Amino acid sequence: MTRIFFFLPGLLLFAALATGQTSTGRPNIILIMADDMGYGDLGCYGQPRIRTPHIDALAKNGMRFTRYYTGSTVCAPSREALLTGMHTGHTAIRGNFLTDEKEDPPMPDEKRTIAEILRDAGYHTGLIGKWGLGGEAHGPEKQGFHYSYGYLDQIQAHNYYPPFLYENGRKVTVPEGTYSHHLFVEKTMGFLDQRPKDKPFFLYLPYTIPHGKHVIPDASEYAQEDWPEQYRNYAAMITQLDKDIGRIISKLKEDGLDRNTLIIFTSDNGANPGFAKFFSSNGAFRGHKTTLYEGGIRAPLIACWPGMIKAGQVSEHVTAGWDMLPALCEAAGVQPPAGIDGISFYPTFTGRSGQARHPYLYWEYYTYNYNWNKPDSQLPRNWLDSRAVRFGDWKAVVKSSPRGENAAVELYDLQSDPSETTNVAAQHPDVVRQANAILSSASRPDASYFPYKQK
């Protein structure tokens, strides 16, 4: 009897590892983020032309959110919001920007990311794809990731056949003619094989598909379609991503990890205008990437966790990218840091009561002048392009000029007008006053590059 009792902890640990459970009982977490994929690009969100059966199956087996907003309408600030739990009135990065070194401005080292929080809680952490928050010496290895592979700079990430990528902060040569996304998937499989088996893992997959340039080695999936090549490639890229997500799911099942792994799928911002028109990539919503109308910031969000998230659910809970950090903290049983803007949506996808709600959601977006140093340029290097706030069913948008003049507040009732077709500001001056009060208090003027002050 004593001997059986002595070996019992080891037997339990062996059984847990054999079934994909960690010794702590905490879930593994895989966060997949597409690049420039719109709300309407997936079959489960109404896309009729592009085939996405594996992502659709995630939605069928989990929860699909219809009122999820990205951190921003462009790449870099959206990623910081996601990783730090702060909206763009409080992030360091509030638009895309190129430093004098022709690379992304670095997210400050003191920013605490979800990877750092989970690493310190015993998780093995990895990032494979596009970082977009700083160049050499400012990569994911400095912000809590045990392993990283991919692009550091977002401009480099436009090239799907790069001469080099970065692995754990070191530049590594890529064989000529190699499609970067295929490397990302292979590195993902390697991470799952080589992870410490006695720890839970957090794997962040900010893949670059379907961001431009819109190229893919094999576009035969849509070769029969009488579409311009760019659109065939775009569709093929999304379907390739879908197939690779299917590979990841199959791998989890083979390794006995699927029952104890939370998978979240989303995008960093809305699709570009051409795809919004051709595929209805942004659904029925007005706007696109680089705008703060719904089409620029409304995105797909799917959460799947067998046994924890009831299958086949659709949620209208209003949530945003900066809510991801506290939600993942709660899933992992970790306390989120104080002072963040995010509110966990964990109660919603697990069916628990007590879901807290935001009094408002806030965005600000700075546009970058890529011709700022040309002799005939009369515009600043960047400027506050627009701000937006959602409170209740009201949405206010304010546009600004390069010289700082604000246009009148636009006001939309998203309950009756989700496509933002009718500005009702004149009919609701009291609501406009509420919006202005939020707009005047939601931002801190402490972002070094936004607006950029020429030294």
Side-chain angles (χ1 to χ4, degrees), residues 3 18 65 76 93 111 128 139 184-185 199 203 220 224 282 289 313 330 333 346 376 378 421 429 448:
R3 183 176 300 173
F65 289 76
I93 311 300
K111 291 281 186 175
I128 299 167
F184 295 160
V185 177
K199 292 184 176 182
L203 181 56
S220 59
Q224 76 284 359
N282 294 326
K289 177 182 178 179
Q313 296 183 86
E330 191 168 358
Y346 181 86
D376 58 346
Q378 298 181 10
T421 62
S448 299

CSV table of all heavy atoms in Angstrom, one decimal, residues 3 18 65 76 93 111 128 139 184-185 199 203 220 224 282 289 313 330 333 346 376 378 421 429 448:
chain,number,residue,atom,x,y,z
A,3,ARG,N,3.9,1.5,-1.1
A,3,ARG,CA,4.6,1.6,-2.3
A,3,ARG,C,3.7,2.2,-3.4
A,3,ARG,O,4.2,3.0,-4.2
A,3,ARG,CB,5.1,0.2,-2.8
A,3,ARG,CG,5.9,0.2,-4.1
A,3,ARG,CD,6.4,-1.2,-4.4
A,3,ARG,NE,7.3,-1.7,-3.3
A,3,ARG,CZ,7.7,-2.9,-3.3
A,3,ARG,NH1,7.4,-3.8,-4.2
A,3,ARG,NH2,8.5,-3.3,-2.3
A,18,ALA,N,0.5,12.0,-21.0
A,18,ALA,CA,0.0,11.1,-22.1
A,18,ALA,C,-1.2,11.6,-22.7
A,18,ALA,O,-1.5,11.4,-23.9
A,18,ALA,CB,-0.2,9.7,-21.5
A,65,PHE,N,-17.7,35.6,-32.1
A,65,PHE,CA,-18.1,36.9,-31.7
A,65,PHE,C,-18.4,37.8,-32.9
A,65,PHE,O,-17.7,37.8,-33.9
A,65,PHE,CB,-16.9,37.6,-30.9
A,65,PHE,CG,-16.7,37.0,-29.5
A,65,PHE,CD1,-16.0,35.7,-29.4
A,65,PHE,CD2,-17.1,37.6,-28.4
A,65,PHE,CE1,-15.8,35.2,-28.1
A,65,PHE,CE2,-16.9,37.1,-27.1
A,65,PHE,CZ,-16.2,35.8,-27.0
A,76,ALA,N,0.8,47.9,-36.4
A,76,ALA,CA,1.6,48.0,-35.2
A,76,ALA,C,0.8,48.4,-33.9
A,76,ALA,O,0.9,47.7,-32.9
A,76,ALA,CB,2.7,49.0,-35.4
A,93,ILE,N,2.6,53.0,-29.3
A,93,ILE,CA,2.5,53.0,-30.8
A,93,ILE,C,1.1,53.3,-31.1
A,93,ILE,O,0.2,52.5,-30.7
A,93,ILE,CB,3.0,51.7,-31.4
A,93,ILE,CG1,4.3,51.2,-30.8
A,93,ILE,CG2,3.0,51.7,-32.9
A,93,ILE,CD1,5.5,52.2,-31.0
A,111,LYS,N,7.0,48.0,-21.1
A,111,LYS,CA,5.7,47.5,-21.3
A,111,LYS,C,5.6,46.1,-21.0
A,111,LYS,O,6.5,45.3,-21.4
A,111,LYS,CB,5.3,47.7,-22.8
A,111,LYS,CG,5.1,49.2,-23.2
A,111,LYS,CD,3.7,49.7,-22.8
A,111,LYS,CE,3.5,51.1,-23.4
A,111,LYS,NZ,2.1,51.5,-23.1
A,128,ILE,N,5.6,33.1,-33.6
A,128,ILE,CA,6.0,32.7,-35.0
A,128,ILE,C,5.2,33.5,-35.9
A,128,ILE,O,3.9,33.4,-36.0
A,128,ILE,CB,5.9,31.2,-35.2
A,128,ILE,CG1,6.7,30.4,-34.2
A,128,ILE,CG2,6.2,30.9,-36.7
A,128,ILE,CD1,6.4,28.9,-34.2
A,139,GLY,N,13.1,42.9,-30.2
A,139,GLY,CA,12.2,41.8,-30.7
A,139,GLY,C,11.5,41.1,-29.6
A,139,GLY,O,11.5,41.4,-28.4
A,184,PHE,N,6.8,29.4,-41.4
A,184,PHE,CA,6.1,29.7,-40.2
A,184,PHE,C,5.4,28.4,-39.7
A,184,PHE,O,5.4,28.1,-38.5
A,184,PHE,CB,5.2,30.8,-40.3
A,184,PHE,CG,5.8,32.2,-40.6
A,184,PHE,CD1,5.1,33.2,-41.1
A,184,PHE,CD2,7.2,32.4,-40.3
A,184,PHE,CE1,5.7,34.4,-41.4
A,184,PHE,CE2,7.8,33.6,-40.5
A,184,PHE,CZ,7.0,34.6,-41.1
A,185,VAL,N,4.7,27.8,-40.6
A,185,VAL,CA,3.9,26.6,-40.3
A,185,VAL,C,4.8,25.5,-39.8
A,185,VAL,O,4.6,24.8,-38.8
A,185,VAL,CB,3.0,26.1,-41.4
A,185,VAL,CG1,2.3,24.9,-41.1
A,185,VAL,CG2,2.0,27.2,-41.8
A,199,LYS,N,5.1,21.7,-18.9
A,199,LYS,CA,4.6,23.0,-18.8
A,199,LYS,C,3.5,23.3,-19.8
A,199,LYS,O,3.5,22.8,-20.9
A,199,LYS,CB,5.8,24.0,-19.0
A,199,LYS,CG,6.9,24.0,-18.0
A,199,LYS,CD,7.9,25.2,-18.4
A,199,LYS,CE,9.0,25.3,-17.3
A,199,LYS,NZ,9.9,26.4,-17.7
A,203,LEU,N,1.3,30.0,-27.4
A,203,LEU,CA,1.9,30.2,-28.7
A,203,LEU,C,1.1,31.2,-29.5
A,203,LEU,O,-0.1,31.1,-29.7
A,203,LEU,CB,1.8,28.8,-29.5
A,203,LEU,CG,2.4,28.8,-30.9
A,203,LEU,CD1,3.8,29.3,-30.9
A,203,LEU,CD2,2.3,27.4,-31.5
A,220,SER,N,-3.7,27.5,-57.4
A,220,SER,CA,-4.6,26.7,-58.2
A,220,SER,C,-5.9,26.5,-57.6
A,220,SER,O,-6.9,26.1,-58.3
A,220,SER,CB,-3.9,25.3,-58.5
A,220,SER,OG,-3.7,24.6,-57.2
A,224,GLN,N,-9.8,28.3,-61.6
A,224,GLN,CA,-10.9,28.3,-62.5
A,224,GLN,C,-11.8,29.5,-62.4
A,224,GLN,O,-12.7,29.7,-63.3
A,224,GLN,CB,-11.8,27.1,-62.1
A,224,GLN,CG,-12.7,27.2,-60.9
A,224,GLN,CD,-11.9,27.1,-59.6
A,224,GLN,OE1,-10.7,26.9,-59.6
A,224,GLN,NE2,-12.6,27.2,-58.4
A,282,ASN,N,-15.1,43.2,-45.7
A,282,ASN,CA,-15.4,43.8,-44.4
A,282,ASN,C,-16.9,43.7,-44.1
A,282,ASN,O,-17.5,44.5,-43.3
A,282,ASN,CB,-15.0,45.3,-44.4
A,282,ASN,CG,-13.4,45.4,-44.4
A,282,ASN,OD1,-12.7,44.5,-43.9
A,282,ASN,ND2,-12.9,46.4,-45.1
A,289,LYS,N,-9.3,49.1,-43.8
A,289,LYS,CA,-8.0,49.4,-43.1
A,289,LYS,C,-7.6,50.9,-43.3
A,289,LYS,O,-7.8,51.4,-44.4
A,289,LYS,CB,-6.9,48.5,-43.7
A,289,LYS,CG,-5.6,48.7,-43.2
A,289,LYS,CD,-4.5,47.8,-43.8
A,289,LYS,CE,-3.1,48.1,-43.3
A,289,LYS,NZ,-2.1,47.2,-43.9
A,313,GLN,N,-21.9,28.5,-30.3
A,313,GLN,CA,-22.4,29.7,-29.7
A,313,GLN,C,-22.0,31.0,-30.6
A,313,GLN,O,-21.0,31.0,-31.2
A,313,GLN,CB,-21.8,30.0,-28.3
A,313,GLN,CG,-22.3,28.9,-27.3
A,313,GLN,CD,-21.8,29.2,-26.0
A,313,GLN,OE1,-22.4,30.0,-25.2
A,313,GLN,NE2,-20.6,28.7,-25.6
A,330,GLU,N,-7.0,35.3,-17.2
A,330,GLU,CA,-8.1,34.5,-16.4
A,330,GLU,C,-8.1,33.1,-16.8
A,330,GLU,O,-8.3,32.2,-16.0
A,330,GLU,CB,-9.4,35.2,-16.6
A,330,GLU,CG,-10.5,34.7,-15.7
A,330,GLU,CD,-11.8,35.5,-15.6
A,330,GLU,OE1,-11.8,36.5,-16.3
A,330,GLU,OE2,-12.7,35.1,-14.9
A,333,GLY,N,-5.4,31.4,-15.0
A,333,GLY,CA,-5.5,31.5,-13.6
A,333,GLY,C,-4.4,32.5,-13.0
A,333,GLY,O,-3.9,32.3,-11.9
A,346,TYR,N,-13.5,36.3,-20.6
A,346,TYR,CA,-13.5,34.9,-20.2
A,346,TYR,C,-14.9,34.5,-19.7
A,346,TYR,O,-15.4,33.4,-20.1
A,346,TYR,CB,-12.4,34.7,-19.2
A,346,TYR,CG,-12.3,33.3,-18.7
A,346,TYR,CD1,-11.5,32.4,-19.3
A,346,TYR,CD2,-12.9,32.9,-17.5
A,346,TYR,CE1,-11.4,31.1,-18.9
A,346,TYR,CE2,-12.8,31.6,-17.0
A,346,TYR,CZ,-12.0,30.7,-17.7
A,346,TYR,OH,-11.9,29.4,-17.3
A,376,ASP,N,9.4,68.6,-51.9
A,376,ASP,CA,8.2,69.4,-52.1
A,376,ASP,C,7.1,69.0,-51.1
A,376,ASP,O,6.0,69.5,-51.2
A,376,ASP,CB,7.6,69.1,-53.5
A,376,ASP,CG,7.4,67.6,-53.8
A,376,ASP,OD1,7.9,66.8,-53.0
A,376,ASP,OD2,6.7,67.3,-54.8
A,378,GLN,N,4.9,69.3,-47.9
A,378,GLN,CA,4.5,70.4,-47.0
A,378,GLN,C,3.8,69.8,-45.8
A,378,GLN,O,3.2,70.6,-45.0
A,378,GLN,CB,3.7,71.4,-47.7
A,378,GLN,CG,4.4,72.1,-48.9
A,378,GLN,CD,3.6,73.1,-49.6
A,378,GLN,OE1,2.5,73.5,-49.1
A,378,GLN,NE2,4.1,73.6,-50.7
A,421,THR,N,-24.3,54.6,-42.2
A,421,THR,CA,-24.7,55.4,-43.4
A,421,THR,C,-25.2,56.7,-43.1
A,421,THR,O,-25.1,57.6,-43.9
A,421,THR,CB,-25.7,54.6,-44.2
A,421,THR,OG1,-26.9,54.4,-43.3
A,421,THR,CG2,-25.2,53.2,-44.6
A,429,PRO,N,-27.7,66.3,-29.9
A,429,PRO,CA,-26.6,67.1,-29.4
A,429,PRO,C,-26.2,66.6,-28.0
A,429,PRO,O,-25.0,66.8,-27.6
A,429,PRO,CB,-27.2,68.5,-29.3
A,429,PRO,CG,-28.7,68.3,-29.3
A,429,PRO,CD,-28.9,67.0,-30.2
A,448,SER,N,5.9,58.9,-27.7
A,448,SER,CA,7.1,59.6,-28.2
A,448,SER,C,7.0,59.9,-29.7
A,448,SER,O,7.5,61.0,-30.1
A,448,SER,CB,8.4,58.7,-28.0
A,448,SER,OG,8.5,58.5,-26.6
